Amino acid sequence: LQSNGCGPGFAEENTSSVEQAMIKAAGNTYLASPNLPDFCGCSPGWSSAFYGAECFDSEVHSYLKNLGKQKSSESQNIDAKKVELEQLLMMETKNYRKTIKFYQKLLQKERRSKGPETKSMLPKLRGQLQEMKSKVQFLELVKKYQMMYAEQWGVESYVLPTVIHSGKADTMDMAPMDESSLLLYYNTEKHQCNNQNGVRVLQAGTPLGLMAYLYSRNAFLEGYVQQFLYTFRYFCTQEEFLQFLLDRISSTLSSASLDPSTSLSKICNRSFYILQAWIEDCYSVDFATNTDLLGTLKEFISSKVASLNGYRERLLSLLEDASAGKSGSADLCSGVDKCKEESEEGRKTLHSLCKKLSEDVSRKVCLFFRLQSVLPKPCCSSFTEESSVSLARADEVGPVLLIECSAQQLCWQLTLLQQEVFNKCHPVHFLNSRALGVKDKCVAVPKAVSAETVSLKVCNLFLSKCIQDQYLLQLLKNADSISTWVAAEIVTCHTTKRQVSLLSKFLLIAKCCYEQRNFATAMQILAGLENLIVRQLPAWKILPAKVADIMEELKAVEVFLKSDSLCLMEGDRFKTLPTIPSAHVLAMHVQQLETGGFTMTNGAHKWTKLRNIAKVVSQVHAFQENPYTYAPDFKLQSYLRQRITRFKEADISALAADNCANFHQIPAEKHSRKIQDTLRRMKATFQ
């Protein structure tokens, strides 16, 4: 039911039967061992929410099936699979890093000597790099598939009513309720009456039914768990969801150490895995902002959970790491990047190498000496010393650096600044933005009205007691500050010539940004240039035609971004090229999906609607996985921060009124002639 042909780039087949065969084949092996495998991250990740059941195809399944086979019996062994996969991944990653370094040296050699042999080798090496990166990414996908131990504890759909009853001690012996009263399905194949022969897809469910479906077989592999973690706040609060999990753990904890094939044992173990996935992926938006929720969880783990298979130690350690800012869900870096985080060169994407290495050295040297001569001394030498540089020193320099530095250099540093802000956001931040006062053509909540007041007046799609993190307002406020800064820099120029230079520079920066897929900064600059006062400046009339045409390109990009909520996820470019979306445009797309009712006539919540919302917001984590790797210039970033801070709340009309260059000037001779003609006419009237 997910988008056709939008799989992760491998063979495209119907994988539901393959996945079930994998679970059944591996299930006996998992359950044979009384102890769980080594704990690892079990959050399915954004790809699970985006691709759903198509995330893991038959090629991944076949590759994993052949791993770890013993030559004598050809039997599958989980430990052998894990060891072999880790060795393959380590070897391929090392080869990839070595090839990148060799490519860098060859590129520098080609720049110096320009020999024909070196020039002919570069395209071949570039192709090898792409193949090697694809192989590493494939192994990472296999590793994620192999690590989904939680699926061993999945239950059949007819057991789901038992999941609900298991949390109520007084109803344990009651007959199971009808599954149709909890969940509604529809068949993907027409004229298919027998659900056993067709593929059932979840359509709607009650809050209890949707929470119980987390325990169903293949809920992790099909993407349901990740989609639920993104969207459950529409139909239950964080406290209700946590209590649901804790009740299931409490009532089945005594059965967890018994026969692992029993339903109660599966429910208990599955509850721990769901809880772990929730902490890993949503700690920053649910637990970090709600101390009562966090306290309840810690108290339960410490007092109720024994050292059963290491669950208590693992969850407490996970909470400690998350609170210290070490949680893997905060960064969501891919395994490829994790293996190479100590080497900056190893983390560079192929696109960054192709676009950056040819100019990096020369531009870095030129900019260093340029800044040394322009910036006032002493100036900050690092980002940590930025606060020591006063705004007054930035004012002394004025817009000099904006004119002196190249558009590409400014694009790179603005992109790094934007990336710093974007990496702190979470997909959940873009949900229910109407309750925060976010509207079309409106960046943030009015200054005179608090966010809390607006939340009461506007329709809140989350439950009333659901706590919502408001980081989206900070993201939009930052975007508004950059737009205001762009307009202020232009209207404060005292000559038309300098205004033309700045207009050209900002247009070129915006063009460079959208070509590098930094759509956030590109749209922020466009908003600044479309300021009513800026658009009326005389400088536009003498702007070079080629530069003026960039304005139309930017407007076309804006139309493209607004045309489709998943336009940036089309094809495979987003996997290899870093991307920063426009936060406001993305929030508007989510608001459009939120339009309309969330419930059916029988009160069941529309899961198809919630799934589509989860798919759209999942692209936030997808883009965060592939960061920009430009070399940071802390002096230039410090200068840009100071200028943006100075003008972020400026009154553009007031600034423009103090500058004569912002008005159409009448030539002196023509003005004098008009006065003389007026006096002559006045004199004639009295004669």
Side-chain angles (χ1 to χ4, degrees):
L1 191 64
Q2 303 294 334
S3 58
N4 296 329
C6 196
F10 306 112
E12 299 179 357
E13 296 182 14
N14 186 358
T15 61
S16 58
S17 60
V18 175
E19 290 167 355
Q20 292 194 12
M22 178 266 179
I23 296 299
K24 292 179 181 178
N28 295 332
T29 308
Y30 284 126
L31 298 177
S33 175
N35 296 321
L36 296 176
D38 294 337
F39 278 105
C40 57
C42 67
S43 175
W46 70 267
S47 57
S48 175
F50 185 79
Y51 294 116
E54 297 177 356
C55 184
F56 304 103
D57 62 7
S58 59
E59 186 176 352
V60 175
H61 166 70
S62 300
Y63 192 90
L64 180 60
K65 186 177 181 181
N66 294 326
L67 278 177
K69 281 191 174 181
Q70 299 176 359
K71 294 182 179 180
S72 57
S73 61
E74 291 294 319
S75 62
Q76 296 184 16
N77 182 281
I78 290 181
D79 293 333
K81 288 177 183 289
K82 183 178 180 181
V83 171
E84 185 176 347
L85 184 60
E86 290 290 348
Q87 291 176 347
L88 286 171
L89 189 56
M90 184 183 302
M91 181 179 64
E92 291 295 336
T93 303
K94 286 183 178 179
N95 291 338
Y96 180 59
R97 294 171 63 179
K98 289 179 180 178
T99 308
I100 287 179
K101 293 180 179 179
F102 179 65
Y103 180 84
Q104 290 175 324
K105 294 179 181 179
L106 201 64
L107 199 61
Q108 294 175 0
K109 183 179 179 181
E110 188 268 340
R111 189 186 300 116
R112 290 193 302 266
S113 62
K114 297 183 179 180
E117 296 181 359
T118 305
K119 200 168 186 179
S120 62
M121 287 181 62
L122 285 175
K124 297 180 181 179
L125 193 58
R126 196 176 297 118
Q128 292 178 6
L129 272 173
Q130 188 62 53
E131 291 179 3
M132 296 174 72
K133 181 171 184 177
S134 298
K135 189 167 185 179
V136 172
Q137 290 175 336
F138 175 75
L139 291 175
E140 283 292 337
L141 194 62
V142 175
K143 183 179 179 181
K144 182 181 291 187
Y145 188 40
Q146 186 251 355
M147 288 194 306
M148 284 195 175
Y149 301 119
E151 284 300 5
Q152 68 183 294
W153 308 115
V155 299
E156 299 297 338
S157 59
Y158 62 82
V159 185
L160 295 183
T162 306
V163 174
I164 294 179
H165 284 300
S166 64
K168 304 176 182 179
D170 56 339
T171 59
M172 285 291 290
D173 297 330
M174 289 180 58
M177 66 178 68
D178 186 9
E179 182 191 357
S180 61
S181 64
L182 300 171
L183 301 167
L184 295 177
Y185 300 89
Y186 67 90
N187 207 297
T188 56
E189 297 179 14
K190 294 182 180 180
H191 309 296
Q192 189 73 286
C193 299
N194 189 352
N195 286 335
Q196 293 180 353
N197 296 328
V199 179
R200 295 198 311 171
V201 178
L202 183 63
Q203 181 180 15
T206 64
L208 274 178
L210 293 175
M211 286 189 281
Y213 195 76
L214 292 167
Y215 293 77
S216 65
R217 184 181 294 277
N218 290 343
F220 272 88
L221 290 176
E222 292 176 354
Y224 178 83
V225 173
Q226 189 66 45
Q227 294 162 356
F228 180 95
L229 293 177
Y230 284 160
T231 59
F232 73 85
R233 298 154 197 83
Y234 288 108
F235 55 86
C236 74
T237 65
Q238 293 96 330
E239 287 79 6
E240 291 172 345
F241 179 40
L242 178 62
Q243 194 59 49
F244 178 86
L245 295 176
L246 299 186
D247 287 345
R248 271 77 209 155
I249 295 175
S250 298
S251 61
T252 60
L253 198 57
S254 59
S255 305
S257 59
L258 302 178
D259 184 3
S261 63
T262 62
S263 297
L264 293 180
S265 178
K266 289 183 177 181
I267 291 172
C268 181
N269 287 284
R270 182 69 161 228
S271 298
F272 280 112
Y273 272 101
I274 295 171
L275 185 58
Q276 180 182 341
W278 185 18
I279 296 172
E280 287 176 354
D281 196 79
C282 299
Y283 179 88
S284 61
V285 293
D286 288 328
F287 295 96
T289 58
N290 191 340
T291 55
D292 293 338
L293 187 75
L294 182 61
T296 300
L297 177 58
K298 286 184 175 180
E299 173 65 23
F300 179 85
I301 296 173
S302 301
S303 60
K304 302 292 185 181
V305 181
S307 299
L308 175 67
N309 290 328
Y311 280 130
R312 181 171 65 182
E313 289 74 13
R314 170 57 181 168
L315 290 175
L316 289 176
S317 175
L318 188 63
L319 288 172
E320 183 179 355
D321 291 343
S323 62
K326 301 176 183 178
S327 175
S329 62
D331 297 325
L332 287 176
C333 296
S334 64
V336 178
D337 293 334
K338 288 178 182 177
C339 293
K340 301 171 230 170
E341 65 183 285
E342 295 182 358
S343 172
E344 181 64 20
E345 295 175 352
R347 294 197 299 112
K348 289 183 172 69
T349 63
L350 183 65
H351 169 73
S352 301
L353 291 173
C354 297
K355 296 289 290 183
K356 182 174 182 293
L357 289 177
S358 60
E359 301 172 308
D360 191 33
V361 177
S362 60
R363 287 194 178 278
K364 214 183 295 183
V365 174
C366 293
L367 182 62
F368 175 79
F369 288 106
R370 185 182 300 152
L371 293 178
Q372 288 292 91
S373 60
V374 174
L375 276 174
K377 296 177 174 46
C379 186
C380 63
S381 59
S382 68
F383 178 73
T384 56
E385 301 173 1
E386 179 183 347
S387 58
S388 64
V389 181
S390 65
L391 292 177
R393 293 180 178 177
D395 292 341
E396 292 175 8
V397 178
V400 173
L401 281 184
L402 294 178
I403 298 175
E404 291 294 327
C405 291
S406 68
Q408 189 177 53
Q409 285 290 344
L410 291 168
C411 164
W412 288 351
Q413 302 312 313
L414 285 171
T415 296
L416 293 178
L417 293 177
Q418 187 65 42
Q419 180 173 259
E420 181 181 333
V421 178
F422 174 68
N423 282 346
K424 296 177 182 178
C425 71
H426 189 280
V428 176
H429 288 142
F430 290 87
L431 305 179
N432 195 30
S433 59
R434 282 193 185 93
L436 302 178
V438 179
K439 300 178 181 179
D440 198 7
K441 303 298 182 182
C442 179
V443 175
V445 179
K447 298 178 182 178
V449 183
S450 66
E452 292 77 6
T453 304
V454 174
S455 300
L456 297 177
K457 296 179 180 179
V458 183
C459 178
N460 185 6
L461 299 177
F462 287 177
L463 295 190
S464 58
K465 295 182 179 180
C466 190
I467 298 178
Q468 182 174 6
D469 192 311
Q470 300 184 3
Y471 182 74
L472 177 62
L473 294 181
Q474 299 181 34
L475 201 61
L476 298 179
K477 185 177 181 180
N478 176 75
D480 192 35
S481 299
I482 294 177
S483 298
T484 306
W485 162 66
V486 170
E489 290 284 12
I490 295 171
V491 300
T492 52
C493 288
H494 294 290
T495 63
T496 304
K497 182 178 180 181
R498 177 155 288 189
Q499 279 188 347
V500 171
S501 298
L502 266 187
L503 280 173
S504 302
K505 184 58 63 70
F506 279 122
L507 285 169
L508 291 171
I509 293 172
K511 180 180 176 66
C512 185
C513 283
Y514 83 72
E515 287 178 345
Q516 303 298 319
R517 293 177 66 86
N518 175 10
F519 298 102
T521 304
M523 293 300 100
Q524 292 159 9
I525 294 176
L526 175 62
L529 296 177
E530 285 190 321
N531 181 283
L532 183 60
I533 295 176
V534 175
R535 288 299 293 163
Q536 295 176 351
L537 295 179
W540 287 98
K541 294 185 177 180
I542 57 177
L543 200 65
K546 290 184 178 180
V547 178
D549 289 342
I550 299 177
M551 194 69 177
E552 300 304 317
E553 294 181 29
L554 292 173
K555 292 180 180 179
V557 171
E558 184 180 31
V559 172
F560 168 74
L561 295 176
K562 293 181 178 180
S563 64
D564 184 10
S565 58
L566 297 175
C567 60
L568 298 181
M569 299 288 284
E570 294 178 355
D572 293 333
R573 297 192 68 196
F574 74 92
K575 299 177 185 176
T576 56
L577 305 181
T579 305
I580 302 179
S582 170
H584 189 263
V585 172
L586 181 56
M588 291 302 101
H589 280 306
V590 176
Q591 284 191 11
Q592 187 175 6
L593 291 174
E594 291 174 333
T595 303
F598 277 79
T599 58
M600 303 177 70
T601 54
N602 61 355
H605 291 264
K606 301 176 183 176
W607 179 248
T608 52
K609 184 184 183 77
L610 296 174
R611 183 174 59 233
N612 288 335
I613 293 175
K615 183 175 181 178
V616 170
V617 298
S618 68
Q619 59 187 305
V620 173
H621 278 164
F623 297 146
Q624 290 172 344
E625 273 194 355
N626 200 1
Y628 291 88
T629 55
Y630 303 136
D633 189 315
F634 297 121
K635 291 183 178 180
L636 183 54
Q637 287 185 13
S638 174
Y639 167 80
L640 292 172
R641 288 179 189 271
Q642 293 167 27
R643 298 295 289 182
I644 294 171
T645 301
R646 181 193 175 194
F647 289 117
K648 65 180 181 180
E649 296 181 355
D651 186 344
I652 302 301
S653 58
L655 291 176
D658 296 334
N659 190 357
C660 296
N662 297 322
F663 303 96
H664 293 273
Q665 302 295 327
I666 302 176
E669 295 181 1
K670 186 177 181 180
H671 184 62
S672 177
R673 192 180 304 113
K674 281 189 174 183
I675 295 177
Q676 293 176 4
D677 291 343
T678 303
L679 290 174
R680 194 177 297 112
R681 286 194 300 270
M682 291 289 293
K683 185 177 180 181
T685 58
F686 292 103
Q687 290 180 347

